[in-house]
Amino acid sequence: KEAARTRFRQQRAALDAPARRAAAAGLADVVLAALPELGIGPGSTVAAYLSVGPEPSTALLLPGLARAGYEVVVPVCEPDYRLSWTRWYEGVPLARSPRAWVDEPVGERFDGSIMSGVPLILAPGLAVDGAGNRLGQGGGYYDRFLGSLGAAPRRPRTVGVVYRHELVPAGTFGSTALDVPLDGAVTDEAWTWFDSGLSGRNV
């Protein structure tokens, strides 16, 4: 996996600022247009992430969700490579994580039980393959979190957020039996669903 991570990181680093801005705008449009058709209306909670560096940017998506009436939660890195969650809103105070190279909102933290009321998780990743396997940064936070969702009373849909060139054929990178496949992926162009075979801009 490390060779694949290096390759995808290099490709991301090569994206120029206009391409990243265009992808951010497209991602916000694609996600916001589809949520009502997915049965996820205003008032629902969406789990997303605060983007950093060359990741697919959520700088337009998060405010767009909030302005459309959605609650937004984002992850906080905890000891033992665990995630908790906290609310994001425009103007929320941020502090540097002591455990990762990300800023995190300052506020009340919720454990994984909050996911029973979350219909959709938008997860970061370096790539997603055609079988739904997600290539992460290697820290293991999301792997552990996604693996824990099987015990949730109501399991959210899990969707990887990637650039369009990072949605790749199955087998492009290694996976193990411990990896939990995602339900879908979303780019600045479209959604792809691995469980149903449905894909398209607004489904």
Side-chain angles (χ1 to χ4, degrees):
K1 287 186 177 180
E2 278 308 312
R5 287 188 180 104
T6 297
R7 182 172 71 255
F8 285 113
R9 285 171 180 150
Q10 289 173 341
Q11 291 173 349
R12 279 190 176 181
L15 291 171
D16 60 22
R20 294 178 188 174
R21 287 194 296 268
L27 177 66
D29 288 346
V30 168
V31 171
L32 288 165
L35 291 182
E37 295 189 22
L38 293 172
I40 304 171
S44 301
T45 299
V46 175
Y49 64 95
L50 275 172
S51 56
V52 62
E55 284 184 319
S57 175
T58 57
L60 298 177
L61 174 60
L62 299 189
L65 288 167
R67 292 168 191 168
Y70 293 91
E71 296 288 335
V72 179
V73 294
V74 297
V76 174
C77 296
E78 301 286 7
D80 299 321
Y81 300 98
R82 303 292 176 180
L83 292 179
S84 65
W85 299 84
T86 191
R87 299 199 183 281
W88 181 93
Y89 53 89
E90 291 190 81
V92 64
L94 301 175
R96 177 64 64 171
S97 169
R99 300 177 183 88
W101 42 280
V102 295
D103 289 332
E104 298 168 334
V106 176
E108 183 180 3
R109 298 184 183 186
F110 307 95
D111 64 22
S113 64
I114 194 178
M115 291 300 149
S116 63
V118 174
L120 179 67
I121 297 170
L122 298 172
L126 284 167
V128 177
D129 77 5
N133 294 306
R134 169 186 164 274
L135 181 67
Q137 295 282 0
Y141 285 94
Y142 267 92
D143 292 331
R144 289 172 175 81
F145 167 67
L146 293 171
S148 73
L149 291 177
R154 295 175 56 195
R155 184 180 179 278
R157 294 184 184 182
T158 57
V159 175
V161 180
V162 290
Y163 293 105
R164 64 189 77 168
H165 67 272
E166 295 167 347
L167 184 56
V168 296
T172 298
F173 53 85
S175 62
T176 71
L178 298 177
D179 293 324
V180 179
L182 300 170
D183 298 316
V186 64
T187 72
D188 62 317
E189 288 189 328
W191 297 74
T192 298
W193 296 102
F194 306 116
D195 52 350
S196 66
L198 295 175
S199 62
R201 188 175 181 84
N202 294 320
V203 299

